[in-house]
Amino acid sequence: MILYSGTKNASSWSFRAWLALKEAGLRFDLKSVDLTEPARGDALAAVARFSPSASVPALMVDDVVIFDSMAIMEYANDRVGGDLLPKESKARAVARSLLAWQHSGVTGLCPALSFESVFYENKRDPTAEETADAKRLLAAWCDCLRRSGGPYLMGSLSLADLAFVPTIMRIFSHVAVPTRWAEAATWMDLLLQRTSVVEWMEDARRLDPVYLPDYRDGGRV
Ligand SMILES: N[C@@H](CCC(=O)N[C@@H](CS)C(=O)NCC(=O)O)C(=O)O
């Protein structure tokens, strides 16, 4: 298999797909697609030759392309007999709701607080919308951890935990976790110490930060 992935400091979508493949223990080659300007246009045009969405991540499996991060995560889960989602149907539906929440936006937080900003030396303060989404996430994570008993959201590690890794990085590289969300803080520490997460982040930190012009004012230029 070949995973076409955005540069490691600039593609949270690729990060999630890569984490699921790694945590499933699957072997794959990684091809890095340069998303920085001015290379971006040509790089994505090359991806468009084999992937209808012309975006990354894209996973080539034999002669088939899986061209969406959530589909790649679900494929990784299928390849390990469903071990990366809960077996019980209601719990599995909750895990998929969390995945879908992340996948369809976390729109108050993700658009302007880009993954690229995790690597900036000078951080701005989060906006009111970003803070509101962060609180919603923290409350949902704590609720899951209390219901499941932890140590991961659904008990054992699942796609739901992996989906949130880049978002955790986005928020908590900008602000400390408030002490009232202690369960979430413990879960984040555990998750961020996983070998897979550490490997990606170490590679990402070696790259030059990708500065986005709309970062300073929360993306509202
Ligand atoms: N829904 C897609 C989104 C992927 C996505 O937007 N990837 C970005 C890079 S992180 C991209 O390739 N964008 C191409 C473009 O904007 O033209 C997925 O989950 O894979």
Side-chain angles (χ1 to χ4, degrees):
M1 297 196 291
I2 304 172
L3 180 69
Y4 291 83
S5 162
T7 357
K8 285 188 170 168
N9 59 355
S11 181
S12 55
W13 302 101
S14 302
F15 192 5
R16 293 185 192 98
W18 185 92
L19 281 174
L21 294 169
K22 279 275 170 182
E23 292 289 353
L26 300 173
R27 296 183 56 178
F28 57 95
D29 291 332
L30 186 68
K31 291 221 167 129
S32 184
V33 175
D34 189 353
L35 295 175
T36 59
E37 297 295 356
R40 185 183 175 96
D42 286 349
L44 289 172
V47 173
R49 284 188 210 118
F50 59 85
S51 172
S53 67
S55 66
V56 287
L59 182 69
M60 289 295 306
V61 185
D62 304 323
D63 60 345
V64 163
V65 60
I66 306 172
F67 53 89
D68 177 89
S69 60
M70 192 150 82
I72 295 169
M73 295 179 86
E74 291 272 6
Y75 177 72
N77 177 54
D78 287 348
R79 288 282 303 267
V80 290
D83 286 351
L84 285 172
L85 281 175
K87 300 286 178 235
E88 195 276 318
S89 59
K90 277 193 285 182
R92 198 163 59 249
V94 170
R96 285 197 165 118
S97 303
L98 293 166
L99 260 179
W101 185 11
Q102 176 60 65
H103 196 65
S104 52
V106 188
T107 48
L109 198 152
C110 290
L113 205 65
S114 67
F115 187 61
E116 286 86 337
S117 71
V118 172
F119 307 97
Y120 297 171
E121 200 174 328
N122 297 315
K123 305 271 202 300
R124 66 163 167 77
D125 290 331
T127 62
E129 290 99 321
E130 289 160 0
T131 304
D133 253 4
K135 283 189 185 150
R136 266 185 221 110
L137 286 166
L138 284 162
W141 294 334
C142 284
D143 183 55
C144 286
L145 291 163
R146 278 180 211 131
R147 283 169 187 264
S148 72
Y152 291 102
L153 293 177
M154 308 311 300
S156 55
L157 183 79
S158 76
L159 297 183
D161 303 287
L162 302 178
F164 287 122
V165 169
T167 296
I168 293 170
M169 299 284 181
R170 282 171 149 112
I171 312 169
F172 300 108
S173 61
H174 283 77
V175 288
V177 187
T179 45
R180 62 176 286 223
W181 308 106
E183 291 109 321
T186 306
W187 162 72
M188 284 181 224
D189 282 347
L190 186 69
L191 187 58
L192 300 191
Q193 281 167 27
R194 291 192 72 87
T195 310
S196 59
V197 177
V198 171
E199 184 185 330
W200 177 286
M201 289 304 291
E202 281 183 356
D203 289 347
R205 288 187 205 287
R206 275 188 218 109
L207 303 170
D208 290 335
V210 177
Y211 289 105
L212 300 179
D214 54 3
Y215 170 72
R216 278 283 147 207
D217 71 350
R220 280 171 195 73
V221 264

